[in-house]
Amino acid sequence: QVQLAESGGGLVQAGGSLRLSCAASGRTFSGYAVGWFRQAPGKEREFVAFISRSSTYRYYADSVKGRFAISKDNAKNTVALQMNSLKPEDTAVYYCAAVESSAGNYYSMTSYRFWGQGTQVTVSS
């Protein structure tokens, strides 16, 4: 099993940047595909970004493409989500999730077996 813990959330002004981190314990991230999801108040969780086990494949929601970047640091056993040019509509609780497989259906929450507790990101206007 793997345990996940997000960090790096906070309050930032529109146009600013934040770097979220998802740390794994129990197992190494190298054996997992990882996704980032977010949930705003009153809305369902939505897909944000995905990285494959080997980091070869990266996919992003259209709403964040060109602004966000997902990466793996196997030495630190973390997955990061670099968030640039933040907008107020990016305000949400951000979750990382992992699964042992390649997660072909990467945009679906049901593809992921393990989830972190979430970290709040608030973007002010």
Side-chain angles (χ1 to χ4, degrees):
Q1 293 184 325
V2 63
Q3 292 79 45
L4 309 179
E6 302 96 334
S7 63
L11 176 64
V12 65
Q13 293 181 332
S17 298
L18 283 174
R19 186 177 180 87
L20 306 184
S21 180
C22 180
S25 60
R27 297 288 301 275
T28 60
F29 260 139
S30 61
Y32 292 83
V34 178
W36 282 93
F37 292 78
R38 66 186 183 186
Q39 186 167 19
K43 300 183 67 176
E44 296 183 357
R45 267 183 290 178
E46 64 177 357
F47 167 76
V48 176
F50 166 84
I51 189 166
S52 63
R53 290 176 293 175
S54 65
S55 300
T56 300
Y57 303 100
R58 295 170 167 88
Y59 301 107
Y60 301 92
D62 289 341
S63 59
V64 306
K65 195 173 299 181
R67 299 188 297 120
F68 292 8
I70 188 170
S71 61
K72 278 187 177 181
D73 187 335
N74 290 328
K76 297 180 179 179
N77 203 27
T78 60
V79 171
L81 183 68
Q82 180 66 45
M83 309 165 65
N84 299 324
S85 301
L86 284 163
K87 305 174 181 179
E89 50 263 43
D90 294 320
T91 295
V93 176
Y94 284 71
Y95 301 87
C96 65
V99 66
E100 300 95 323
S101 71
S102 296
N105 192 13
Y106 59 85
Y107 50 84
S108 175
M109 294 186 298
T110 61
S111 295
Y112 299 88
R113 186 171 300 178
F114 307 102
W115 292 81
Q117 80 287 348
T119 185
Q120 177 70 50
V121 172
T122 303
V123 184
S124 64
S125 59

